[in-house]
Amino acid sequence: MPVQKVTKDNFQRLVVASEKPVLLDFWATWCGPCRMIAPIVEQIASEREDIVVGKINVDEEMELAIQFGVSSIPTLIVMKGGAVAATAVGYRPKADIEKLLDL
């Protein structure tokens, strides 16, 4: 499944109402580590049909960043049943991200 662009307008539908776990990638265009982790996040999205992967640009969606207390990026948050199940801040290798999804 392709990576979804998550905004405050589609957050309820794509994340909260999702029957699958959702991996959210909070990022910005100017963030070097965000650019390093992006291909990994996209690879996970293409490999796993059992999850939804969404990207949230913190510069465009400041309300969502504030709602989740994002103060450093990249921040990865796994949502299950509309609630936060796991969080990781900073660059992570693929294996670490996949472990977050399996919690």
Side-chain angles (χ1 to χ4, degrees):
M1 177 182 288
V3 173
Q4 306 290 311
K5 181 179 179 179
V6 177
T7 67
K8 67 178 187 268
D9 297 327
N10 66 16
F11 183 81
Q12 179 69 31
R13 179 176 52 84
L14 289 178
V15 179
V16 177
S18 176
E19 294 182 7
K20 298 178 181 180
V22 181
L23 173 63
L24 295 174
D25 176 13
F26 287 83
W27 70 286
T29 55
W30 48 264
C31 168
C34 297
R35 289 193 300 271
M36 291 169 52
I37 208 169
I40 298 169
V41 170
E42 290 182 22
Q43 184 180 22
I44 290 170
S46 69
E47 292 174 352
R48 296 197 49 171
E49 293 294 321
D50 61 322
I51 63 168
V52 174
V53 177
K55 291 181 74 76
I56 299 174
N57 184 320
V58 297
D59 290 331
E60 296 173 359
E61 299 296 330
M62 187 65 71
E63 287 178 45
L64 288 174
I66 291 169
Q67 177 182 334
F68 284 92
V70 173
S71 58
S72 296
I73 53 174
T75 292
L76 300 174
I77 296 178
V78 177
M79 303 280 293
K80 292 182 180 177
V84 174
T87 304
V89 179
Y91 176 83
R92 295 283 190 274
K94 183 179 178 188
D96 287 2
I97 297 170
E98 289 177 325
K99 284 180 193 169
L100 287 175
L101 292 165
D102 295 332
L103 293 176

